[in-house]
Amino acid sequence: MSIQVSPSPIPNSNAVSLTSTLLDRDDYLTGLLNQVTVTKTAGWLQELRQSAANWVRHSIIPTTREEEWRFTDLSSLRKVQFNLETGNFASLKFDILPEAANSRLVFVNGVFAPELSAVSDLPSGVVVSNLAGLSAVEQEGVRQYLAQAEGAQEVFTALNTAGITDAAVVWVKKNVVVETLIHLVFVSVVGQTATISQPRCLVVAEGGSQVRLVEEYTNRQGAESAEEEGVYFTNAVTEVWVGDNAEVSHTRVEREGAEAFHIGKTAIAQARDSRYTCHAITLGAKLSRHNLEVLQTGEQTETTLNGLTVISGKQLSDTHSAIALNYPHGTSDQLHKCIVGDRAHAVFNGKVLVPKPAQLTNAAQLNRNLLLSSKARVDTKPQLEITADNVKCAHGATVSQLEDDEIFYLQSRGIDENDARKLLINAFAAEVINKIPVPSLREILLNTVNNLKSLTND
């Protein structure tokens, strides 16, 4: 696969030519497209959807023969027939963060749930709403950004765009500093059949603004078994536009059900002097894939990516990131950690692209992996592609297991073996979790990791 640095620097493994006469090349993909395009819209949104649908009809679902997907086999996804599910879910339970008690949007199966949302605690100069709730003027502004990020023709991104009927929109006006945390919650509820939902999120931080947000994907809480949770597919896309000298702190948490499929795209565009931080936490889903793509559109940007994957059983979790540093004086710092137990399989592929114009770039990337059983597996590929000659760049990866000496030392202090293993695992995870700037969420995630019994048993 060739990586094109300019004009489209974000890797796209599924770009196709619309001059091809082949339509509906993939019957299964066409079936998904027909499901998500049942509901029609009007005006510019319908035109956008139709354009994306054309891309989908010329595409196929990726296979392991493609470099970008060689460790992630989607054949199990193709065996399931998914349907759209709607309904009234006013009694749903989910974690309400006290920092965002009155500044949250909730979507159930991709449909806005006003009875579960609350946006009364927001200052002037910030809009937090679903797309349908925006004024005509605000929708015209959204039109300039929605589905305009690089990589829009990637097959699952295009499928999401083809089915857009609503979206979560966070828009911060110029020089507005939002002290209140914003919480975007996407809940999946399974009906009588396997369901598909396609959450869409758009974040625009105009020049000089600041905002913190949590984007969370979860399932119906209170299910007593994986069978009760059911099989479902979440295909999510989030676009983040960070203006000149703006700052966005973004936490993404994926806690899907045990039988779920989750494919997510996060596309970020950073203008001059902007600062973007992402904390991406992956805990759930039978199969998950997160494409994290950062595009620098101006000089002197700062990008910080912290990731943590914690999986066990037979879970497969794949993180692909790409940071395109196209201008001078850019800084990026990426740490991605994986804790893998039982027969689970983690994948990390991280690209940092530094073309010749990006002189005086400072980029660091590290992937650290902890395997908790002899059957656990990780495939890691940190990757720098540099043509600039005056830069400071470093990358690396480590794969390790819990050290017997460390466990023995803790046992010599009166701690039993199981608790000793748990302490070491929690310490490994805490390096990423403790960087999340939301105290209540930090506590929830630390407790979640601490209570995963499968991680402490070989």
Side-chain angles (χ1 to χ4, degrees), residues 327-363:
Y327 293 84
H329 302 284
T331 300
S332 71
D333 187 7
Q334 181 176 21
L335 171 65
H336 189 85
K337 306 183 82 170
C338 299
I339 302 174
V340 190
D342 299 327
R343 297 173 179 267
H345 181 192
V347 179
F348 173 76
N349 183 291
K351 297 182 181 71
V352 180
L353 312 176
V354 189
K356 192 169 185 178
Q359 302 295 337
L360 300 173
T361 289
N362 187 343

PDB file of all heavy atoms in Angstrom, residues 327-363:
ATOM      1  N   TYR A 327       3.315  20.729   8.361  1.00  0.00           N
ATOM      2  CA  TYR A 327       3.845  22.084   8.489  1.00  0.00           C
ATOM      3  C   TYR A 327       4.938  22.114   9.561  1.00  0.00           C
ATOM      4  O   TYR A 327       5.017  21.223  10.410  1.00  0.00           O
ATOM      5  CB  TYR A 327       2.717  23.056   8.854  1.00  0.00           C
ATOM      6  CG  TYR A 327       1.695  23.238   7.757  1.00  0.00           C
ATOM      7  CD1 TYR A 327       0.641  22.344   7.599  1.00  0.00           C
ATOM      8  CD2 TYR A 327       1.792  24.305   6.867  1.00  0.00           C
ATOM      9  CE1 TYR A 327      -0.291  22.505   6.589  1.00  0.00           C
ATOM     10  CE2 TYR A 327       0.871  24.473   5.850  1.00  0.00           C
ATOM     11  CZ  TYR A 327      -0.171  23.570   5.715  1.00  0.00           C
ATOM     12  OH  TYR A 327      -1.085  23.740   4.700  1.00  0.00           O
ATOM     13  N   PRO A 328       5.777  23.159   9.556  1.00  0.00           N
ATOM     14  CA  PRO A 328       6.892  23.224  10.511  1.00  0.00           C
ATOM     15  C   PRO A 328       6.429  23.391  11.956  1.00  0.00           C
ATOM     16  O   PRO A 328       5.304  23.800  12.237  1.00  0.00           O
ATOM     17  CB  PRO A 328       7.675  24.464  10.046  1.00  0.00           C
ATOM     18  CG  PRO A 328       7.256  24.710   8.640  1.00  0.00           C
ATOM     19  CD  PRO A 328       5.830  24.247   8.554  1.00  0.00           C
ATOM     20  N   HIS A 329       7.346  23.052  12.873  1.00  0.00           N
ATOM     21  CA  HIS A 329       7.207  23.296  14.307  1.00  0.00           C
ATOM     22  C   HIS A 329       6.044  22.520  14.942  1.00  0.00           C
ATOM     23  O   HIS A 329       5.546  22.924  15.991  1.00  0.00           O
ATOM     24  CB  HIS A 329       7.025  24.803  14.595  1.00  0.00           C
ATOM     25  CG  HIS A 329       8.155  25.648  14.087  1.00  0.00           C
ATOM     26  ND1 HIS A 329       9.375  25.724  14.719  1.00  0.00           N
ATOM     27  CD2 HIS A 329       8.237  26.452  12.999  1.00  0.00           C
ATOM     28  CE1 HIS A 329      10.168  26.541  14.043  1.00  0.00           C
ATOM     29  NE2 HIS A 329       9.512  26.996  12.994  1.00  0.00           N
ATOM     30  N   GLY A 330       5.641  21.430  14.337  1.00  0.00           N
ATOM     31  CA  GLY A 330       4.591  20.619  14.941  1.00  0.00           C
ATOM     32  C   GLY A 330       5.154  19.696  16.011  1.00  0.00           C
ATOM     33  O   GLY A 330       6.297  19.243  15.938  1.00  0.00           O
ATOM     34  N   THR A 331       4.322  19.412  17.016  1.00  0.00           N
ATOM     35  CA  THR A 331       4.710  18.506  18.098  1.00  0.00           C
ATOM     36  C   THR A 331       3.636  17.444  18.270  1.00  0.00           C
ATOM     37  O   THR A 331       2.449  17.772  18.351  1.00  0.00           O
ATOM     38  CB  THR A 331       4.883  19.267  19.429  1.00  0.00           C
ATOM     39  OG1 THR A 331       5.908  20.257  19.275  1.00  0.00           O
ATOM     40  CG2 THR A 331       5.276  18.316  20.553  1.00  0.00           C
ATOM     41  N   SER A 332       4.051  16.189  18.333  1.00  0.00           N
ATOM     42  CA  SER A 332       3.096  15.121  18.621  1.00  0.00           C
ATOM     43  C   SER A 332       3.722  14.141  19.608  1.00  0.00           C
ATOM     44  O   SER A 332       4.915  13.856  19.548  1.00  0.00           O
ATOM     45  CB  SER A 332       2.670  14.385  17.345  1.00  0.00           C
ATOM     46  OG  SER A 332       3.715  13.588  16.838  1.00  0.00           O
ATOM     47  N   ASP A 333       2.879  13.657  20.519  1.00  0.00           N
ATOM     48  CA  ASP A 333       3.329  12.707  21.543  1.00  0.00           C
ATOM     49  C   ASP A 333       2.250  11.648  21.691  1.00  0.00           C
ATOM     50  O   ASP A 333       1.120  11.962  22.073  1.00  0.00           O
ATOM     51  CB  ASP A 333       3.578  13.429  22.867  1.00  0.00           C
ATOM     52  CG  ASP A 333       4.207  12.526  23.917  1.00  0.00           C
ATOM     53  OD1 ASP A 333       4.578  11.383  23.576  1.00  0.00           O
ATOM     54  OD2 ASP A 333       4.336  12.956  25.079  1.00  0.00           O
ATOM     55  N   GLN A 334       2.571  10.406  21.378  1.00  0.00           N
ATOM     56  CA  GLN A 334       1.578   9.334  21.405  1.00  0.00           C
ATOM     57  C   GLN A 334       2.052   8.192  22.300  1.00  0.00           C
ATOM     58  O   GLN A 334       3.175   7.699  22.172  1.00  0.00           O
ATOM     59  CB  GLN A 334       1.315   8.795  19.999  1.00  0.00           C
ATOM     60  CG  GLN A 334       0.256   7.692  19.954  1.00  0.00           C
ATOM     61  CD  GLN A 334      -0.064   7.235  18.544  1.00  0.00           C
ATOM     62  OE1 GLN A 334       0.720   7.431  17.620  1.00  0.00           O
ATOM     63  NE2 GLN A 334      -1.228   6.624  18.361  1.00  0.00           N
ATOM     64  N   LEU A 335       1.174   7.777  23.222  1.00  0.00           N
ATOM     65  CA  LEU A 335       1.398   6.601  24.056  1.00  0.00           C
ATOM     66  C   LEU A 335       0.174   5.709  23.946  1.00  0.00           C
ATOM     67  O   LEU A 335      -0.940   6.135  24.273  1.00  0.00           O
ATOM     68  CB  LEU A 335       1.628   7.004  25.516  1.00  0.00           C
ATOM     69  CG  LEU A 335       1.663   5.839  26.531  1.00  0.00           C
ATOM     70  CD1 LEU A 335       2.852   4.925  26.261  1.00  0.00           C
ATOM     71  CD2 LEU A 335       1.685   6.371  27.961  1.00  0.00           C
ATOM     72  N   HIS A 336       0.373   4.491  23.491  1.00  0.00           N
ATOM     73  CA  HIS A 336      -0.739   3.540  23.410  1.00  0.00           C
ATOM     74  C   HIS A 336      -0.347   2.273  24.146  1.00  0.00           C
ATOM     75  O   HIS A 336       0.696   1.662  23.854  1.00  0.00           O
ATOM     76  CB  HIS A 336      -1.087   3.209  21.953  1.00  0.00           C
ATOM     77  CG  HIS A 336      -2.346   2.419  21.818  1.00  0.00           C
ATOM     78  ND1 HIS A 336      -3.588   3.017  21.772  1.00  0.00           N
ATOM     79  CD2 HIS A 336      -2.570   1.078  21.750  1.00  0.00           C
ATOM     80  CE1 HIS A 336      -4.518   2.083  21.658  1.00  0.00           C
ATOM     81  NE2 HIS A 336      -3.926   0.898  21.655  1.00  0.00           N
ATOM     82  N   LYS A 337      -1.193   1.846  25.095  1.00  0.00           N
ATOM     83  CA  LYS A 337      -0.908   0.675  25.913  1.00  0.00           C
ATOM     84  C   LYS A 337      -2.013  -0.358  25.737  1.00  0.00           C
ATOM     85  O   LYS A 337      -3.203   0.002  25.621  1.00  0.00           O
ATOM     86  CB  LYS A 337      -0.780   1.060  27.389  1.00  0.00           C
ATOM     87  CG  LYS A 337       0.228   2.169  27.639  1.00  0.00           C
ATOM     88  CD  LYS A 337       0.399   2.489  29.111  1.00  0.00           C
ATOM     89  CE  LYS A 337       1.341   1.518  29.782  1.00  0.00           C
ATOM     90  NZ  LYS A 337       1.709   1.928  31.153  1.00  0.00           N
ATOM     91  N   CYS A 338      -1.621  -1.630  25.722  1.00  0.00           N
ATOM     92  CA  CYS A 338      -2.578  -2.734  25.595  1.00  0.00           C
ATOM     93  C   CYS A 338      -2.358  -3.731  26.721  1.00  0.00           C
ATOM     94  O   CYS A 338      -1.213  -4.122  26.999  1.00  0.00           O
ATOM     95  CB  CYS A 338      -2.414  -3.449  24.254  1.00  0.00           C
ATOM     96  SG  CYS A 338      -2.700  -2.424  22.789  1.00  0.00           S
ATOM     97  N   ILE A 339      -3.449  -4.135  27.354  1.00  0.00           N
ATOM     98  CA  ILE A 339      -3.441  -5.219  28.326  1.00  0.00           C
ATOM     99  C   ILE A 339      -4.285  -6.337  27.738  1.00  0.00           C
ATOM    100  O   ILE A 339      -5.486  -6.158  27.484  1.00  0.00           O
ATOM    101  CB  ILE A 339      -4.009  -4.773  29.681  1.00  0.00           C
ATOM    102  CG1 ILE A 339      -3.210  -3.589  30.244  1.00  0.00           C
ATOM    103  CG2 ILE A 339      -4.010  -5.919  30.673  1.00  0.00           C
ATOM    104  CD1 ILE A 339      -3.796  -2.992  31.510  1.00  0.00           C
ATOM    105  N   VAL A 340      -3.672  -7.491  27.506  1.00  0.00           N
ATOM    106  CA  VAL A 340      -4.325  -8.553  26.745  1.00  0.00           C
ATOM    107  C   VAL A 340      -4.318  -9.846  27.558  1.00  0.00           C
ATOM    108  O   VAL A 340      -3.249 -10.354  27.915  1.00  0.00           O
ATOM    109  CB  VAL A 340      -3.616  -8.783  25.392  1.00  0.00           C
ATOM    110  CG1 VAL A 340      -4.442  -9.705  24.502  1.00  0.00           C
ATOM    111  CG2 VAL A 340      -3.356  -7.454  24.682  1.00  0.00           C
ATOM    112  N   GLY A 341      -5.507 -10.367  27.866  1.00  0.00           N
ATOM    113  CA  GLY A 341      -5.622 -11.596  28.638  1.00  0.00           C
ATOM    114  C   GLY A 341      -6.273 -12.715  27.841  1.00  0.00           C
ATOM    115  O   GLY A 341      -6.783 -12.513  26.733  1.00  0.00           O
ATOM    116  N   ASP A 342      -6.272 -13.906  28.416  1.00  0.00           N
ATOM    117  CA  ASP A 342      -6.906 -15.083  27.819  1.00  0.00           C
ATOM    118  C   ASP A 342      -6.415 -15.314  26.385  1.00  0.00           C
ATOM    119  O   ASP A 342      -5.228 -15.335  26.137  1.00  0.00           O
ATOM    120  CB  ASP A 342      -8.430 -14.940  27.865  1.00  0.00           C
ATOM    121  CG  ASP A 342      -8.963 -14.840  29.282  1.00  0.00           C
ATOM    122  OD1 ASP A 342      -8.364 -15.467  30.165  1.00  0.00           O
ATOM    123  OD2 ASP A 342      -9.957 -14.128  29.494  1.00  0.00           O
ATOM    124  N   ARG A 343      -7.358 -15.432  25.436  1.00  0.00           N
ATOM    125  CA  ARG A 343      -7.018 -15.648  24.026  1.00  0.00           C
ATOM    126  C   ARG A 343      -7.265 -14.397  23.190  1.00  0.00           C
ATOM    127  O   ARG A 343      -7.438 -14.466  21.969  1.00  0.00           O
ATOM    128  CB  ARG A 343      -7.828 -16.814  23.450  1.00  0.00           C
ATOM    129  CG  ARG A 343      -7.545 -18.157  24.107  1.00  0.00           C
ATOM    130  CD  ARG A 343      -8.510 -19.218  23.604  1.00  0.00           C
ATOM    131  NE  ARG A 343      -8.244 -20.524  24.192  1.00  0.00           N
ATOM    132  CZ  ARG A 343      -7.469 -21.457  23.647  1.00  0.00           C
ATOM    133  NH1 ARG A 343      -6.899 -21.214  22.478  1.00  0.00           N
ATOM    134  NH2 ARG A 343      -7.269 -22.603  24.249  1.00  0.00           N
ATOM    135  N   ALA A 344      -7.298 -13.252  23.842  1.00  0.00           N
ATOM    136  CA  ALA A 344      -7.593 -12.003  23.135  1.00  0.00           C
ATOM    137  C   ALA A 344      -6.436 -11.594  22.224  1.00  0.00           C
ATOM    138  O   ALA A 344      -5.297 -12.059  22.375  1.00  0.00           O
ATOM    139  CB  ALA A 344      -7.895 -10.902  24.140  1.00  0.00           C
ATOM    140  N   HIS A 345      -6.761 -10.714  21.289  1.00  0.00           N
ATOM    141  CA  HIS A 345      -5.802 -10.289  20.267  1.00  0.00           C
ATOM    142  C   HIS A 345      -5.891  -8.765  20.102  1.00  0.00           C
ATOM    143  O   HIS A 345      -6.950  -8.230  19.772  1.00  0.00           O
ATOM    144  CB  HIS A 345      -6.128 -10.984  18.935  1.00  0.00           C
ATOM    145  CG  HIS A 345      -5.202 -10.646  17.820  1.00  0.00           C
ATOM    146  ND1 HIS A 345      -5.471 -10.987  16.499  1.00  0.00           N
ATOM    147  CD2 HIS A 345      -3.999  -9.999  17.788  1.00  0.00           C
ATOM    148  CE1 HIS A 345      -4.489 -10.565  15.723  1.00  0.00           C
ATOM    149  NE2 HIS A 345      -3.585  -9.964  16.479  1.00  0.00           N
ATOM    150  N   ALA A 346      -4.790  -8.087  20.361  1.00  0.00           N
ATOM    151  CA  ALA A 346      -4.726  -6.636  20.191  1.00  0.00           C
ATOM    152  C   ALA A 346      -3.856  -6.291  18.988  1.00  0.00           C
ATOM    153  O   ALA A 346      -2.849  -6.963  18.724  1.00  0.00           O
ATOM    154  CB  ALA A 346      -4.169  -5.967  21.441  1.00  0.00           C
ATOM    155  N   VAL A 347      -4.264  -5.243  18.280  1.00  0.00           N
ATOM    156  CA  VAL A 347      -3.519  -4.772  17.108  1.00  0.00           C
ATOM    157  C   VAL A 347      -3.281  -3.279  17.268  1.00  0.00           C
ATOM    158  O   VAL A 347      -4.204  -2.529  17.604  1.00  0.00           O
ATOM    159  CB  VAL A 347      -4.292  -5.035  15.798  1.00  0.00           C
ATOM    160  CG1 VAL A 347      -3.503  -4.522  14.592  1.00  0.00           C
ATOM    161  CG2 VAL A 347      -4.615  -6.512  15.642  1.00  0.00           C
ATOM    162  N   PHE A 348      -2.042  -2.858  17.035  1.00  0.00           N
ATOM    163  CA  PHE A 348      -1.742  -1.417  17.002  1.00  0.00           C
ATOM    164  C   PHE A 348      -0.898  -1.129  15.776  1.00  0.00           C
ATOM    165  O   PHE A 348       0.142  -1.761  15.552  1.00  0.00           O
ATOM    166  CB  PHE A 348      -0.999  -0.967  18.254  1.00  0.00           C
ATOM    167  CG  PHE A 348      -0.531   0.467  18.174  1.00  0.00           C
ATOM    168  CD1 PHE A 348      -1.444   1.512  18.334  1.00  0.00           C
ATOM    169  CD2 PHE A 348       0.787   0.775  17.908  1.00  0.00           C
ATOM    170  CE1 PHE A 348      -1.024   2.840  18.233  1.00  0.00           C
ATOM    171  CE2 PHE A 348       1.214   2.092  17.806  1.00  0.00           C
ATOM    172  CZ  PHE A 348       0.305   3.125  17.973  1.00  0.00           C
ATOM    173  N   ASN A 349      -1.363  -0.173  14.985  1.00  0.00           N
ATOM    174  CA  ASN A 349      -0.592   0.323  13.852  1.00  0.00           C
ATOM    175  C   ASN A 349      -0.632   1.843  13.907  1.00  0.00           C
ATOM    176  O   ASN A 349      -1.704   2.443  13.772  1.00  0.00           O
ATOM    177  CB  ASN A 349      -1.178  -0.193  12.529  1.00  0.00           C
ATOM    178  CG  ASN A 349      -0.360   0.241  11.329  1.00  0.00           C
ATOM    179  OD1 ASN A 349      -0.322   1.408  10.974  1.00  0.00           O
ATOM    180  ND2 ASN A 349       0.297  -0.712  10.685  1.00  0.00           N
ATOM    181  N   GLY A 350       0.509   2.437  14.145  1.00  0.00           N
ATOM    182  CA  GLY A 350       0.553   3.897  14.287  1.00  0.00           C
ATOM    183  C   GLY A 350       1.505   4.520  13.295  1.00  0.00           C
ATOM    184  O   GLY A 350       2.701   4.209  13.286  1.00  0.00           O
ATOM    185  N   LYS A 351       0.988   5.381  12.445  1.00  0.00           N
ATOM    186  CA  LYS A 351       1.820   6.073  11.454  1.00  0.00           C
ATOM    187  C   LYS A 351       2.009   7.530  11.859  1.00  0.00           C
ATOM    188  O   LYS A 351       1.056   8.195  12.274  1.00  0.00           O
ATOM    189  CB  LYS A 351       1.171   6.027  10.071  1.00  0.00           C
ATOM    190  CG  LYS A 351       1.001   4.639   9.489  1.00  0.00           C
ATOM    191  CD  LYS A 351       0.396   4.727   8.096  1.00  0.00           C
ATOM    192  CE  LYS A 351       0.194   3.334   7.512  1.00  0.00           C
ATOM    193  NZ  LYS A 351      -0.910   2.621   8.190  1.00  0.00           N
ATOM    194  N   VAL A 352       3.223   8.021  11.708  1.00  0.00           N
ATOM    195  CA  VAL A 352       3.508   9.444  11.835  1.00  0.00           C
ATOM    196  C   VAL A 352       4.168   9.868  10.533  1.00  0.00           C
ATOM    197  O   VAL A 352       5.248   9.373  10.178  1.00  0.00           O
ATOM    198  CB  VAL A 352       4.424   9.753  13.032  1.00  0.00           C
ATOM    199  CG1 VAL A 352       4.677  11.257  13.118  1.00  0.00           C
ATOM    200  CG2 VAL A 352       3.809   9.246  14.335  1.00  0.00           C
ATOM    201  N   LEU A 353       3.522  10.756   9.804  1.00  0.00           N
ATOM    202  CA  LEU A 353       3.987  11.176   8.486  1.00  0.00           C
ATOM    203  C   LEU A 353       4.589  12.566   8.573  1.00  0.00           C
ATOM    204  O   LEU A 353       3.919  13.527   8.983  1.00  0.00           O
ATOM    205  CB  LEU A 353       2.825  11.168   7.489  1.00  0.00           C
ATOM    206  CG  LEU A 353       1.955   9.898   7.498  1.00  0.00           C
ATOM    207  CD1 LEU A 353       0.777  10.053   6.545  1.00  0.00           C
ATOM    208  CD2 LEU A 353       2.771   8.678   7.144  1.00  0.00           C
ATOM    209  N   VAL A 354       5.864  12.688   8.185  1.00  0.00           N
ATOM    210  CA  VAL A 354       6.578  13.966   8.288  1.00  0.00           C
ATOM    211  C   VAL A 354       7.201  14.276   6.928  1.00  0.00           C
ATOM    212  O   VAL A 354       8.364  13.920   6.664  1.00  0.00           O
ATOM    213  CB  VAL A 354       7.660  13.923   9.384  1.00  0.00           C
ATOM    214  CG1 VAL A 354       8.249  15.330   9.621  1.00  0.00           C
ATOM    215  CG2 VAL A 354       7.107  13.366  10.692  1.00  0.00           C
ATOM    216  N   PRO A 355       6.474  14.941   6.038  1.00  0.00           N
ATOM    217  CA  PRO A 355       7.023  15.269   4.719  1.00  0.00           C
ATOM    218  C   PRO A 355       8.036  16.416   4.802  1.00  0.00           C
ATOM    219  O   PRO A 355       8.219  17.032   5.860  1.00  0.00           O
ATOM    220  CB  PRO A 355       5.785  15.677   3.918  1.00  0.00           C
ATOM    221  CG  PRO A 355       4.837  16.178   4.951  1.00  0.00           C
ATOM    222  CD  PRO A 355       5.076  15.363   6.178  1.00  0.00           C
ATOM    223  N   LYS A 356       8.660  16.711   3.709  1.00  0.00           N
ATOM    224  CA  LYS A 356       9.757  17.678   3.683  1.00  0.00           C
ATOM    225  C   LYS A 356       9.384  19.063   4.202  1.00  0.00           C
ATOM    226  O   LYS A 356      10.190  19.716   4.878  1.00  0.00           O
ATOM    227  CB  LYS A 356      10.314  17.781   2.262  1.00  0.00           C
ATOM    228  CG  LYS A 356      11.638  18.530   2.196  1.00  0.00           C
ATOM    229  CD  LYS A 356      12.284  18.382   0.830  1.00  0.00           C
ATOM    230  CE  LYS A 356      13.666  19.042   0.831  1.00  0.00           C
ATOM    231  NZ  LYS A 356      14.354  18.880  -0.486  1.00  0.00           N
ATOM    232  N   PRO A 357       8.172  19.589   3.951  1.00  0.00           N
ATOM    233  CA  PRO A 357       7.853  20.934   4.477  1.00  0.00           C
ATOM    234  C   PRO A 357       7.782  20.998   6.002  1.00  0.00           C
ATOM    235  O   PRO A 357       7.829  22.089   6.575  1.00  0.00           O
ATOM    236  CB  PRO A 357       6.473  21.235   3.862  1.00  0.00           C
ATOM    237  CG  PRO A 357       6.374  20.345   2.669  1.00  0.00           C
ATOM    238  CD  PRO A 357       7.114  19.100   3.044  1.00  0.00           C
ATOM    239  N   ALA A 358       7.670  19.857   6.676  1.00  0.00           N
ATOM    240  CA  ALA A 358       7.436  19.844   8.123  1.00  0.00           C
ATOM    241  C   ALA A 358       8.744  19.876   8.903  1.00  0.00           C
ATOM    242  O   ALA A 358       9.012  19.022   9.758  1.00  0.00           O
ATOM    243  CB  ALA A 358       6.612  18.618   8.505  1.00  0.00           C
ATOM    244  N   GLN A 359       9.581  20.866   8.619  1.00  0.00           N
ATOM    245  CA  GLN A 359      10.848  20.996   9.327  1.00  0.00           C
ATOM    246  C   GLN A 359      10.615  21.365  10.794  1.00  0.00           C
ATOM    247  O   GLN A 359       9.596  21.948  11.147  1.00  0.00           O
ATOM    248  CB  GLN A 359      11.731  22.042   8.644  1.00  0.00           C
ATOM    249  CG  GLN A 359      12.039  21.768   7.181  1.00  0.00           C
ATOM    250  CD  GLN A 359      12.874  20.499   6.972  1.00  0.00           C
ATOM    251  OE1 GLN A 359      13.579  20.045   7.867  1.00  0.00           O
ATOM    252  NE2 GLN A 359      12.776  19.905   5.785  1.00  0.00           N
ATOM    253  N   LEU A 360      11.595  20.985  11.638  1.00  0.00           N
ATOM    254  CA  LEU A 360      11.567  21.280  13.073  1.00  0.00           C
ATOM    255  C   LEU A 360      10.370  20.627  13.774  1.00  0.00           C
ATOM    256  O   LEU A 360       9.855  21.133  14.767  1.00  0.00           O
ATOM    257  CB  LEU A 360      11.566  22.794  13.308  1.00  0.00           C
ATOM    258  CG  LEU A 360      12.787  23.538  12.748  1.00  0.00           C
ATOM    259  CD1 LEU A 360      12.614  25.043  12.869  1.00  0.00           C
ATOM    260  CD2 LEU A 360      14.049  23.084  13.456  1.00  0.00           C
ATOM    261  N   THR A 361       9.941  19.505  13.247  1.00  0.00           N
ATOM    262  CA  THR A 361       8.900  18.706  13.888  1.00  0.00           C
ATOM    263  C   THR A 361       9.509  17.894  15.034  1.00  0.00           C
ATOM    264  O   THR A 361      10.639  17.413  14.944  1.00  0.00           O
ATOM    265  CB  THR A 361       8.256  17.755  12.862  1.00  0.00           C
ATOM    266  OG1 THR A 361       7.463  18.513  11.952  1.00  0.00           O
ATOM    267  CG2 THR A 361       7.379  16.715  13.539  1.00  0.00           C
ATOM    268  N   ASN A 362       8.739  17.732  16.101  1.00  0.00           N
ATOM    269  CA  ASN A 362       9.145  16.905  17.233  1.00  0.00           C
ATOM    270  C   ASN A 362       8.041  15.865  17.476  1.00  0.00           C
ATOM    271  O   ASN A 362       6.945  16.217  17.918  1.00  0.00           O
ATOM    272  CB  ASN A 362       9.356  17.769  18.480  1.00  0.00           C
ATOM    273  CG  ASN A 362       9.943  16.976  19.648  1.00  0.00           C
ATOM    274  OD1 ASN A 362       9.921  15.752  19.663  1.00  0.00           O
ATOM    275  ND2 ASN A 362      10.471  17.690  20.629  1.00  0.00           N
ATOM    276  N   ALA A 363       8.315  14.615  17.160  1.00  0.00           N
ATOM    277  CA  ALA A 363       7.284  13.579  17.247  1.00  0.00           C
ATOM    278  C   ALA A 363       7.816  12.366  18.010  1.00  0.00           C
ATOM    279  O   ALA A 363       8.925  11.889  17.746  1.00  0.00           O
ATOM    280  CB  ALA A 363       6.833  13.153  15.848  1.00  0.00           C
TER     281      ALA A 363
END
